[in-house]
Amino acid sequence: MLHYSAGLPERLLGSQIPVPGGVNMTFHEPLGVVGIIVPWNFPMPIAAWGFAPALAAGNTVVLKPAELTPLTAMRLGELAAQAGLPDDVFQVIPGRGSVVGARFVTHPAVRKVVFTGSTEVGRQIMAGCAEQVKRVTLELGGKNANIVFADADVERAAATAPYGVFDNAGQDCCARSRILVQRSIFDRFLELLEPAVQGVRVGDPADAATEMGPLISAAHRERVAGFLEPSTKVAFTGSRPDGPGFWFPPTVVLPASPTDRVVTEEVFGPVVAVLPFDDEADALRLANDTEYGLSGSIWTSDVGRALRVSRGVEAGNLSVNSHSSVRYWTPFGGFKQSGLGRELGPDAARAFTEIKNVFIATD
């Protein structure tokens, strides 16, 4: 991300617009001070998503890491100083969101706030920034659908599905926590999914063979477990180690209704709901039946269907026959209550600028 952003200043191109009576030009001017609030689930890369293009656009940055994961951000601040950034251009300020993050929102010198986290907190930040008409970029929650059609490579779709939801122990706003499977292949898909889930290697993150680690905290594990109510039908689970760690096994549930909490709310843990659908229209109805719209996957061998469904799903980042949502050289962001604005990609630095229009009279 840092290497990529190093090339962004030369992409901040203005325009020369033909007008009568003179010459018209536009410039991308830096905003000033940008406040960036970083979550705990990807503490180092998401910090760079914000501060790298913000600095490239000529701004100064104050960055607040999450309370649970401050160390990588503090190290980045040290490295920035060692690399020769002028004093106070990039500052890291650990602290509570209700103190440091709230001050980003209320301080008049901060011209933009970038927040990645829950939709609930994002709403509060947006409302606070409205007091000063302060710019915001919000990357919020997700309840993403992995749609598997009957004409897909079902074996591959089932084999890869666990990694679309259980990566980072499901602590990912892009996690495909709803798998929608066409009814004619529903039973076959579940048969193939079970060994794939049970084959996920859960263990010590320091072990190169590990594919899924523990949850972030005891409190978060308790929250995730709360989605498995007594009435919840658990189809099967994967493994979990004994010993220290906030472990939770990869878990597949068959909801009784599309209105069950596990279907409608963001779990942010290794729990996935599998539901059947009848046809393309039904798949789109279920996929879009959420307040979120961040990412998703579509599995089909029909190119026309892939394009139709991609246009029909209300989400900002979709992949066909894969589960890849985030690439630092392409835009990332959500529809609906999954957020506001876009990060990453060739236009990332533009989000930290204002367009200035200048007319020079020649007559």
Side-chain angles (χ1 to χ4, degrees):
M1 187 64 210
L2 291 170
H3 279 290
Y4 182 79
S5 295
L8 289 178
E10 64 204 43
R11 296 190 178 115
L12 290 171
L13 304 175
S15 300
Q16 186 273 315
I17 303 171
V19 293
V23 176
N24 199 89
M25 298 174 290
T26 62
F27 300 88
H28 288 276
E29 302 288 0
L31 298 171
V33 181
V34 175
I36 298 173
I37 303 171
V38 181
W40 50 256
N41 60 327
F42 295 103
M44 186 167 64
I46 291 182
W49 290 14
F51 78 75
L55 293 174
N59 302 280
T60 60
V61 170
V62 284
L63 185 146
K64 191 203 88 67
E67 293 95 315
L68 292 172
T69 53
L71 298 183
T72 50
M74 292 169 68
R75 180 61 179 148
L76 287 168
E78 294 172 352
L79 291 170
Q82 293 175 23
L85 261 68
D87 291 345
D88 302 330
V89 167
F90 177 46
Q91 300 180 68
V92 178
I93 308 178
R96 295 188 63 83
S98 58
V99 178
V100 180
R103 193 62 177 134
F104 289 0
V105 173
T106 59
H107 199 297
V110 177
R111 305 296 295 275
K112 178 171 183 173
V113 175
V114 177
F115 171 77
T116 302
S118 72
T119 297
E120 179 184 5
V121 175
R123 291 191 195 104
Q124 297 170 9
I125 289 173
M126 189 174 182
C129 287
E131 294 290 326
Q132 300 174 34
V133 196
K134 187 174 296 190
R135 277 69 176 143
V136 292
T137 292
L138 303 174
E139 298 291 358
L140 308 176
K143 193 63 184 177
N144 312 294
N146 176 13
I147 308 172
V148 184
F149 287 94
D151 64 358
D153 182 340
V154 181
E155 288 76 12
R156 184 162 169 250
T160 59
Y163 304 98
V165 63
F166 300 140
D167 275 356
N168 210 40
Q171 300 166 127
D172 181 355
C173 51
C174 291
R176 277 70 165 161
S177 58
R178 295 180 298 152
I179 304 178
L180 311 180
V181 184
Q182 196 153 18
R183 198 176 300 275
S184 61
I185 60 164
F186 188 82
D187 293 342
R188 174 62 176 155
F189 182 86
L190 285 177
E191 290 174 0
L192 294 167
L193 183 63
E194 183 170 5
V197 169
Q198 293 172 347
V200 174
R201 296 171 180 163
V202 183
D204 182 355
D207 184 344
T210 294
E211 295 175 317
M212 188 186 113
L215 296 174
I216 183 72
S217 66
H220 188 57
R221 180 174 61 182
E222 183 176 350
R223 177 188 175 278
V224 171
F227 282 88
L228 301 181
E229 300 169 341
S231 60
T232 303
K233 182 179 179 181
V234 176
F236 43 83
T237 66
S239 64
R240 49 156 289 179
D242 297 321
F246 307 115
W247 304 104
F248 199 95
T251 302
V252 177
V253 302
L254 302 177
S257 165
T259 61
D260 288 359
R261 282 184 64 229
V262 73
V263 179
T264 61
E265 298 180 23
E266 185 176 37
V267 178
F268 222 63
V271 178
V272 63
V274 186
L275 300 92
F277 68 85
D278 293 315
D279 54 22
E280 199 172 299
D282 194 31
L284 285 172
R285 180 186 63 80
L286 288 170
N288 292 333
D289 187 19
T290 172
E291 64 185 16
Y292 299 112
L294 187 56
S295 67
S297 298
I298 301 158
W299 290 81
T300 178
S301 61
D302 184 328
V303 175
R305 169 174 283 156
L307 289 171
R308 286 193 305 272
V309 176
S310 294
R311 296 300 299 271
V313 173
E314 297 170 342
N317 311 275
L318 295 168
S319 55
V320 176
N321 297 331
S322 75
H323 298 298
S324 178
S325 289
V326 182
R327 296 178 177 86
Y328 61 79
W329 56 92
T330 61
F332 178 81
F335 285 24
K336 299 189 285 189
Q337 294 193 39
S338 282
L340 185 68
R342 292 294 181 271
E343 296 183 293
L344 308 179
D347 296 327
R350 293 174 183 264
F352 295 98
T353 66
E354 293 279 23
I355 296 177
K356 178 180 288 183
N357 191 75
V358 178
F359 170 75
I360 302 175
T362 57
D363 293 345

